[in-house]
Amino acid sequence: MSLLDPAINACITTLESIRPLAPQLDAAADLVRTALLNGGKLLACGNGGSASDSAHFTTEFVCRFMGDRRPYPAICFASEGSAVSAIGNDYAFDEVFARQVRAFGRPGDVLVVFTTSGNSRNIARALEEAQHLGVKTVAFLGRDGGFTRGLADVELRVEGTVTARIQEAHKLLLHVLCETVESALARV
């Protein structure tokens, strides 16, 4: 028996559930657009599959999403293997992203985090450090948002219990966010 049909149906149900996030998605796009047009940069992080999503997100701005345009500064902290392992070893794994926020984050920047559970201490610490520095924040969350809920300026929370379906919805949201922002960047 193929799992494809049930997976497609579950994906459709999850994607339908994110329609009410349009206002939050617009708010996230405004933060990112404002940062990039005013000389700020994007910072992003996540763990596991969410680390891949954060790398995908930053790549869309350093390279391009759909149209040709100039590159914009975007850093994925999860891709910095040497920094992650050194900070985890010398301090604690809870600090692997917060310390990088402290190193690179400035007012006018935006930190975008991805966590399907909302219960990643290193993500919560990154959001706290960003708030302390005056860096705006966007959180792609899953399930009930966990203890990370309420820590970001803008939250895009995908309800559900299956990590794969949450990540699929996060991917659609990040693509729409990129498309929305890139349409403004293309005019510059």
Short mmCIF file of all heavy atoms in Angstrom, two decimals, residues 93-144:
data_model
loop_
_atom_site.label_atom_id
_atom_site.label_comp_id
_atom_site.label_asym_id
_atom_site.label_seq_id
_atom_site.Cartn_x
_atom_site.Cartn_y
_atom_site.Cartn_z
N PHE A 93 25.38 23.89 24.07
CA PHE A 93 24.61 23.82 22.82
C PHE A 93 23.47 24.83 22.82
O PHE A 93 23.11 25.34 21.77
CB PHE A 93 24.06 22.39 22.60
CG PHE A 93 23.48 22.21 21.23
CD1 PHE A 93 24.30 22.17 20.10
CD2 PHE A 93 22.11 22.10 21.06
CE1 PHE A 93 23.76 22.00 18.83
CE2 PHE A 93 21.56 21.93 19.79
CZ PHE A 93 22.39 21.89 18.67
N ASP A 94 22.95 25.16 24.00
CA ASP A 94 21.89 26.18 24.08
C ASP A 94 22.37 27.53 23.57
O ASP A 94 21.56 28.38 23.22
CB ASP A 94 21.42 26.35 25.53
CG ASP A 94 20.63 25.17 26.05
OD1 ASP A 94 20.39 24.21 25.28
OD2 ASP A 94 20.26 25.19 27.24
N GLU A 95 23.66 27.76 23.51
CA GLU A 95 24.22 29.06 23.12
C GLU A 95 24.72 29.13 21.68
O GLU A 95 25.20 30.18 21.25
CB GLU A 95 25.37 29.42 24.06
CG GLU A 95 24.94 29.61 25.51
CD GLU A 95 23.91 30.72 25.66
OE1 GLU A 95 24.15 31.83 25.15
OE2 GLU A 95 22.85 30.46 26.29
N VAL A 96 24.61 28.04 20.90
CA VAL A 96 25.24 28.01 19.57
C VAL A 96 24.70 29.08 18.63
O VAL A 96 25.45 29.59 17.79
CB VAL A 96 25.17 26.62 18.89
CG1 VAL A 96 25.95 25.60 19.68
CG2 VAL A 96 23.74 26.18 18.64
N PHE A 97 23.44 29.46 18.77
CA PHE A 97 22.90 30.51 17.90
C PHE A 97 22.91 31.87 18.58
O PHE A 97 23.17 32.89 17.94
CB PHE A 97 21.48 30.15 17.43
CG PHE A 97 21.41 28.85 16.67
CD1 PHE A 97 20.43 27.91 16.96
CD2 PHE A 97 22.34 28.56 15.68
CE1 PHE A 97 20.37 26.72 16.27
CE2 PHE A 97 22.28 27.36 14.98
CZ PHE A 97 21.29 26.43 15.28
N ALA A 98 22.67 31.93 19.87
CA ALA A 98 22.66 33.20 20.59
C ALA A 98 24.01 33.90 20.50
O ALA A 98 24.08 35.12 20.30
CB ALA A 98 22.29 32.98 22.06
N ARG A 99 25.07 33.13 20.59
CA ARG A 99 26.41 33.74 20.52
C ARG A 99 26.67 34.30 19.12
O ARG A 99 27.29 35.36 18.97
CB ARG A 99 27.47 32.72 20.90
CG ARG A 99 28.83 33.36 21.12
CD ARG A 99 29.63 32.57 22.12
NE ARG A 99 30.96 33.14 22.28
CZ ARG A 99 31.29 34.05 23.19
NH1 ARG A 99 30.38 34.49 24.04
NH2 ARG A 99 32.52 34.52 23.26
N GLN A 100 26.17 33.63 18.09
CA GLN A 100 26.31 34.14 16.73
C GLN A 100 25.44 35.38 16.52
O GLN A 100 25.84 36.33 15.83
CB GLN A 100 25.99 33.05 15.71
CG GLN A 100 27.03 31.94 15.70
CD GLN A 100 26.71 30.89 14.67
OE1 GLN A 100 26.96 31.11 13.48
NE2 GLN A 100 26.16 29.76 15.10
N VAL A 101 24.26 35.40 17.12
CA VAL A 101 23.42 36.61 17.06
C VAL A 101 24.18 37.77 17.68
O VAL A 101 24.23 38.87 17.14
CB VAL A 101 22.06 36.40 17.77
CG1 VAL A 101 21.32 37.72 17.95
CG2 VAL A 101 21.20 35.40 17.01
N ARG A 102 24.81 37.49 18.82
CA ARG A 102 25.58 38.54 19.51
C ARG A 102 26.75 39.03 18.65
O ARG A 102 27.06 40.22 18.63
CB ARG A 102 26.09 37.99 20.84
CG ARG A 102 26.73 39.03 21.71
CD ARG A 102 27.01 38.44 23.07
NE ARG A 102 27.85 39.32 23.84
CZ ARG A 102 28.55 38.94 24.88
NH1 ARG A 102 28.50 37.69 25.29
NH2 ARG A 102 29.30 39.80 25.52
N ALA A 103 27.38 38.12 17.91
CA ALA A 103 28.52 38.49 17.06
C ALA A 103 28.10 39.29 15.84
O ALA A 103 28.78 40.25 15.45
CB ALA A 103 29.27 37.23 16.62
N PHE A 104 26.99 38.92 15.22
CA PHE A 104 26.63 39.49 13.92
C PHE A 104 25.40 40.40 13.94
O PHE A 104 25.21 41.20 13.02
CB PHE A 104 26.38 38.37 12.90
CG PHE A 104 27.59 37.56 12.61
CD1 PHE A 104 27.72 36.27 13.12
CD2 PHE A 104 28.62 38.06 11.83
CE1 PHE A 104 28.83 35.50 12.86
CE2 PHE A 104 29.74 37.31 11.56
CZ PHE A 104 29.86 36.03 12.08
N GLY A 105 24.55 40.28 14.94
CA GLY A 105 23.28 41.02 14.95
C GLY A 105 23.43 42.46 15.36
O GLY A 105 24.16 42.79 16.30
N ARG A 106 22.75 43.32 14.61
CA ARG A 106 22.72 44.75 14.89
C ARG A 106 21.29 45.26 14.71
O ARG A 106 20.53 44.69 13.93
CB ARG A 106 23.63 45.51 13.91
CG ARG A 106 25.09 45.08 13.91
CD ARG A 106 25.80 45.49 15.20
NE ARG A 106 27.18 45.04 15.25
CZ ARG A 106 27.59 43.91 15.83
NH1 ARG A 106 26.74 43.09 16.40
NH2 ARG A 106 28.87 43.59 15.85
N PRO A 107 20.94 46.35 15.39
CA PRO A 107 19.62 46.94 15.12
C PRO A 107 19.47 47.18 13.62
O PRO A 107 20.42 47.61 12.95
CB PRO A 107 19.65 48.24 15.92
CG PRO A 107 20.61 47.97 17.04
CD PRO A 107 21.69 47.10 16.41
N GLY A 108 18.32 46.87 13.08
CA GLY A 108 18.09 46.98 11.65
C GLY A 108 18.16 45.64 10.94
O GLY A 108 17.74 45.51 9.80
N ASP A 109 18.70 44.62 11.62
CA ASP A 109 18.74 43.27 11.08
C ASP A 109 17.47 42.52 11.47
O ASP A 109 16.71 42.96 12.34
CB ASP A 109 19.94 42.49 11.64
CG ASP A 109 21.28 43.07 11.21
OD1 ASP A 109 21.32 43.83 10.21
OD2 ASP A 109 22.28 42.75 11.87
N VAL A 110 17.27 41.36 10.85
CA VAL A 110 16.15 40.48 11.19
C VAL A 110 16.69 39.07 11.39
O VAL A 110 17.43 38.56 10.54
CB VAL A 110 15.07 40.46 10.08
CG1 VAL A 110 13.96 39.47 10.42
CG2 VAL A 110 14.48 41.84 9.87
N LEU A 111 16.32 38.46 12.50
CA LEU A 111 16.62 37.06 12.77
C LEU A 111 15.37 36.24 12.45
O LEU A 111 14.29 36.53 12.97
CB LEU A 111 17.01 36.85 14.24
CG LEU A 111 17.14 35.39 14.69
CD1 LEU A 111 18.35 34.72 14.01
CD2 LEU A 111 17.27 35.31 16.21
N VAL A 112 15.54 35.22 11.61
CA VAL A 112 14.45 34.31 11.26
C VAL A 112 14.81 32.93 11.79
O VAL A 112 15.87 32.39 11.46
CB VAL A 112 14.23 34.26 9.73
CG1 VAL A 112 13.09 33.31 9.38
CG2 VAL A 112 13.94 35.66 9.19
N VAL A 113 13.95 32.38 12.64
CA VAL A 113 14.20 31.07 13.23
C VAL A 113 13.15 30.07 12.78
O VAL A 113 12.02 30.44 12.48
CB VAL A 113 14.24 31.14 14.78
CG1 VAL A 113 15.29 32.13 15.26
CG2 VAL A 113 12.88 31.47 15.37
N PHE A 114 13.57 28.81 12.74
CA PHE A 114 12.68 27.71 12.35
C PHE A 114 12.73 26.65 13.44
O PHE A 114 13.81 26.17 13.80
CB PHE A 114 13.14 27.08 11.03
CG PHE A 114 13.05 27.99 9.84
CD1 PHE A 114 14.05 28.92 9.58
CD2 PHE A 114 11.95 27.93 8.99
CE1 PHE A 114 13.97 29.76 8.48
CE2 PHE A 114 11.86 28.77 7.89
CZ PHE A 114 12.87 29.69 7.63
N THR A 115 11.57 26.27 13.98
CA THR A 115 11.49 25.16 14.94
C THR A 115 10.10 24.53 14.84
O THR A 115 9.10 25.21 15.03
CB THR A 115 11.80 25.60 16.38
OG1 THR A 115 11.51 24.51 17.28
CG2 THR A 115 11.04 26.83 16.82
N THR A 116 10.07 23.26 14.51
CA THR A 116 8.77 22.59 14.35
C THR A 116 8.13 22.28 15.70
O THR A 116 6.92 22.18 15.80
CB THR A 116 8.89 21.30 13.53
OG1 THR A 116 9.83 20.43 14.15
CG2 THR A 116 9.31 21.61 12.11
N SER A 117 8.94 22.14 16.74
CA SER A 117 8.40 21.84 18.07
C SER A 117 8.18 23.10 18.89
O SER A 117 7.31 23.13 19.76
CB SER A 117 9.35 20.92 18.84
OG SER A 117 10.53 21.60 19.20
N GLY A 118 9.01 24.12 18.65
CA GLY A 118 8.97 25.30 19.49
C GLY A 118 9.69 25.10 20.80
O GLY A 118 9.69 25.99 21.66
N ASN A 119 10.30 23.95 20.98
CA ASN A 119 10.94 23.62 22.25
C ASN A 119 12.45 23.46 22.14
O ASN A 119 13.05 22.65 22.84
CB ASN A 119 10.31 22.35 22.84
CG ASN A 119 8.90 22.58 23.29
OD1 ASN A 119 8.58 23.63 23.84
ND2 ASN A 119 8.03 21.63 23.02
N SER A 120 13.06 24.24 21.29
CA SER A 120 14.52 24.21 21.14
C SER A 120 15.12 25.35 21.96
O SER A 120 14.92 26.52 21.66
CB SER A 120 14.91 24.38 19.66
OG SER A 120 14.35 23.36 18.89
N ARG A 121 15.84 24.98 23.00
CA ARG A 121 16.43 26.00 23.89
C ARG A 121 17.37 26.93 23.13
O ARG A 121 17.42 28.13 23.40
CB ARG A 121 17.17 25.34 25.03
CG ARG A 121 16.26 24.54 25.94
CD ARG A 121 16.15 25.16 27.31
NE ARG A 121 15.22 24.36 28.09
CZ ARG A 121 14.00 24.77 28.45
NH1 ARG A 121 13.60 25.97 28.09
NH2 ARG A 121 13.21 24.00 29.15
N ASN A 122 18.12 26.40 22.16
CA ASN A 122 19.05 27.26 21.44
C ASN A 122 18.31 28.27 20.55
O ASN A 122 18.80 29.38 20.32
CB ASN A 122 20.08 26.45 20.65
CG ASN A 122 19.49 25.49 19.65
OD1 ASN A 122 18.28 25.42 19.44
ND2 ASN A 122 20.36 24.73 19.02
N ILE A 123 17.13 27.93 20.09
CA ILE A 123 16.31 28.87 19.32
C ILE A 123 15.75 29.95 20.24
O ILE A 123 15.78 31.14 19.93
CB ILE A 123 15.19 28.14 18.56
CG1 ILE A 123 15.77 27.17 17.53
CG2 ILE A 123 14.22 29.13 17.93
CD1 ILE A 123 16.55 27.82 16.40
N ALA A 124 15.25 29.53 21.39
CA ALA A 124 14.73 30.50 22.37
C ALA A 124 15.83 31.47 22.79
O ALA A 124 15.61 32.68 22.86
CB ALA A 124 14.15 29.78 23.59
N ARG A 125 17.03 30.97 23.04
CA ARG A 125 18.15 31.83 23.44
C ARG A 125 18.52 32.80 22.32
O ARG A 125 18.83 33.96 22.57
CB ARG A 125 19.37 30.98 23.83
CG ARG A 125 19.29 30.40 25.23
CD ARG A 125 19.47 31.49 26.30
NE ARG A 125 20.76 32.15 26.09
CZ ARG A 125 20.91 33.47 25.87
NH1 ARG A 125 19.87 34.29 25.86
NH2 ARG A 125 22.13 33.97 25.68
N ALA A 126 18.47 32.35 21.07
CA ALA A 126 18.76 33.24 19.93
C ALA A 126 17.74 34.37 19.88
O ALA A 126 18.11 35.54 19.67
CB ALA A 126 18.77 32.46 18.62
N LEU A 127 16.47 34.05 20.08
CA LEU A 127 15.42 35.07 20.08
C LEU A 127 15.62 36.05 21.23
O LEU A 127 15.45 37.26 21.06
CB LEU A 127 14.04 34.42 20.14
CG LEU A 127 13.60 33.68 18.88
CD1 LEU A 127 12.38 32.82 19.16
CD2 LEU A 127 13.32 34.67 17.74
N GLU A 128 15.97 35.55 22.39
CA GLU A 128 16.20 36.43 23.55
C GLU A 128 17.38 37.36 23.29
O GLU A 128 17.31 38.56 23.60
CB GLU A 128 16.44 35.59 24.80
CG GLU A 128 15.22 34.84 25.28
CD GLU A 128 15.51 33.73 26.27
OE1 GLU A 128 16.71 33.43 26.54
OE2 GLU A 128 14.54 33.14 26.78
N GLU A 129 18.46 36.83 22.73
CA GLU A 129 19.64 37.66 22.44
C GLU A 129 19.29 38.72 21.39
O GLU A 129 19.72 39.87 21.50
CB GLU A 129 20.81 36.79 21.98
CG GLU A 129 22.11 37.53 21.85
CD GLU A 129 22.65 38.07 23.17
OE1 GLU A 129 22.43 37.44 24.22
OE2 GLU A 129 23.31 39.13 23.13
N ALA A 130 18.53 38.33 20.37
CA ALA A 130 18.13 39.29 19.34
C ALA A 130 17.31 40.42 19.96
O ALA A 130 17.53 41.60 19.66
CB ALA A 130 17.32 38.58 18.25
N GLN A 131 16.37 40.07 20.81
CA GLN A 131 15.55 41.09 21.48
C GLN A 131 16.44 42.04 22.29
O GLN A 131 16.26 43.26 22.23
CB GLN A 131 14.52 40.42 22.39
CG GLN A 131 13.61 41.40 23.10
CD GLN A 131 12.64 40.71 24.03
OE1 GLN A 131 12.90 39.64 24.57
NE2 GLN A 131 11.49 41.33 24.21
N HIS A 132 17.40 41.49 22.99
CA HIS A 132 18.33 42.29 23.80
C HIS A 132 19.11 43.29 22.93
O HIS A 132 19.37 44.42 23.34
CB HIS A 132 19.29 41.37 24.56
CG HIS A 132 20.37 42.08 25.30
ND1 HIS A 132 20.14 42.77 26.48
CD2 HIS A 132 21.68 42.22 25.02
CE1 HIS A 132 21.28 43.31 26.88
NE2 HIS A 132 22.23 42.99 26.02
N LEU A 133 19.46 42.87 21.70
CA LEU A 133 20.25 43.71 20.80
C LEU A 133 19.41 44.65 19.93
O LEU A 133 19.96 45.46 19.20
CB LEU A 133 21.10 42.83 19.87
CG LEU A 133 22.19 42.00 20.54
CD1 LEU A 133 22.80 41.04 19.54
CD2 LEU A 133 23.26 42.91 21.14
N GLY A 134 18.09 44.51 19.97
CA GLY A 134 17.24 45.33 19.11
C GLY A 134 17.11 44.80 17.70
O GLY A 134 16.77 45.54 16.78
N VAL A 135 17.36 43.50 17.52
CA VAL A 135 17.21 42.84 16.23
C VAL A 135 15.76 42.34 16.14
O VAL A 135 15.27 41.70 17.06
CB VAL A 135 18.20 41.65 16.10
CG1 VAL A 135 17.91 40.83 14.85
CG2 VAL A 135 19.63 42.16 16.11
N LYS A 136 15.07 42.64 15.05
CA LYS A 136 13.70 42.16 14.84
C LYS A 136 13.72 40.66 14.60
O LYS A 136 14.72 40.10 14.12
CB LYS A 136 13.04 42.87 13.65
CG LYS A 136 12.85 44.35 13.86
CD LYS A 136 11.88 44.59 14.98
CE LYS A 136 11.56 46.07 15.13
NZ LYS A 136 10.69 46.34 16.26
N THR A 137 12.61 39.98 14.91
CA THR A 137 12.59 38.53 14.83
C THR A 137 11.32 38.00 14.18
O THR A 137 10.23 38.55 14.35
CB THR A 137 12.72 37.91 16.23
OG1 THR A 137 11.70 38.45 17.08
CG2 THR A 137 14.08 38.19 16.84
N VAL A 138 11.50 36.90 13.45
CA VAL A 138 10.40 36.15 12.84
C VAL A 138 10.62 34.69 13.22
O VAL A 138 11.72 34.17 13.06
CB VAL A 138 10.39 36.28 11.30
CG1 VAL A 138 9.31 35.40 10.68
CG2 VAL A 138 10.22 37.74 10.88
N ALA A 139 9.56 34.03 13.70
CA ALA A 139 9.67 32.62 14.09
C ALA A 139 8.70 31.78 13.28
O ALA A 139 7.50 32.05 13.26
CB ALA A 139 9.38 32.45 15.58
N PHE A 140 9.24 30.79 12.59
CA PHE A 140 8.45 29.75 11.95
C PHE A 140 8.31 28.64 12.99
O PHE A 140 9.29 27.98 13.31
CB PHE A 140 9.17 29.21 10.71
CG PHE A 140 9.12 30.10 9.51
CD1 PHE A 140 9.90 31.24 9.45
CD2 PHE A 140 8.31 29.80 8.43
CE1 PHE A 140 9.88 32.07 8.33
CE2 PHE A 140 8.28 30.62 7.31
CZ PHE A 140 9.06 31.75 7.25
N LEU A 141 7.11 28.47 13.53
CA LEU A 141 6.88 27.52 14.61
C LEU A 141 5.94 26.41 14.15
O LEU A 141 5.23 26.54 13.16
CB LEU A 141 6.26 28.22 15.81
CG LEU A 141 7.03 29.41 16.40
CD1 LEU A 141 6.20 30.09 17.48
CD2 LEU A 141 8.37 28.96 16.94
N GLY A 142 5.93 25.33 14.91
CA GLY A 142 4.99 24.24 14.68
C GLY A 142 4.27 23.88 15.96
O GLY A 142 4.54 24.43 17.02
N ARG A 143 3.32 22.98 15.81
CA ARG A 143 2.52 22.47 16.92
C ARG A 143 1.88 23.62 17.70
O ARG A 143 1.27 24.49 17.12
CB ARG A 143 3.36 21.55 17.79
CG ARG A 143 3.81 20.30 17.05
CD ARG A 143 4.68 19.39 17.89
NE ARG A 143 4.95 18.13 17.23
CZ ARG A 143 5.79 17.96 16.21
NH1 ARG A 143 6.46 19.00 15.73
NH2 ARG A 143 5.96 16.78 15.66
N ASP A 144 2.06 23.66 19.02
CA ASP A 144 1.47 24.75 19.82
C ASP A 144 2.46 25.90 20.03
O ASP A 144 2.18 26.84 20.75
CB ASP A 144 0.96 24.23 21.16
CG ASP A 144 2.06 23.71 22.08
OD1 ASP A 144 3.25 23.72 21.67
OD2 ASP A 144 1.74 23.30 23.20
#
